[in-house]
Amino acid sequence: CPICRVEENSITEIGCDWPVLTVAMQSGPATAVGQVQRQRGLPWVTLVDPQGRLTSERGFSSVPAFVVVDTQGGLRTPTVGFTSAIGMRLRLWWSRVV
């Protein structure tokens, strides 16, 4: 996804301050996803959701999506489409204060 590629640097930077888990939705087998991550130097952990079941069960059907998972496992501040680095950081901050 072209938008996902644009967000890669922002996600890497966020990962320096926050734990990051990405979900590869319908992106092929785990080996292929891992290979792409290694080639691009993407340091975060990725969960592979080959049929998109995990994501669709949580209401996501398009990419990219950005969501904060709170300490109780709740989904906070979900957005779909491009999210800027400052937008990601503001959502993370907002999730901690509310």
Side-chain angles (χ1 to χ4, degrees):
C1 155
I3 298 172
C4 298
R5 290 186 110 178
V6 169
E7 289 184 339
E8 287 176 355
N9 288 336
S10 297
I11 295 167
T12 299
E13 289 174 14
I14 295 289
C16 293
D17 301 320
W18 298 86
V20 170
L21 171 68
T22 63
V23 179
M25 183 174 83
Q26 300 173 338
S27 300
T31 54
V33 172
Q35 181 179 13
V36 168
Q37 282 191 264
R38 285 187 299 281
Q39 287 172 344
R40 293 187 189 157
L42 306 175
W44 57 73
V45 175
T46 298
L47 175 76
V48 177
D49 186 16
Q51 284 77 41
R53 289 187 190 128
L54 174 69
T55 48
S56 67
E57 287 171 3
R58 283 153 183 81
F60 296 96
S61 58
S62 59
V63 294
F66 180 83
V67 62
V68 175
V69 181
D70 65 24
T71 56
Q72 287 76 39
L75 304 182
R76 309 279 303 268
T77 68
T79 56
V80 175
F82 177 77
T83 305
S84 66
I86 190 67
M88 292 177 192
R89 289 190 181 278
L90 286 171
R91 285 167 176 80
L92 287 159
W93 173 80
W94 181 253
S95 294
R96 292 189 76 195
V97 298
V98 174

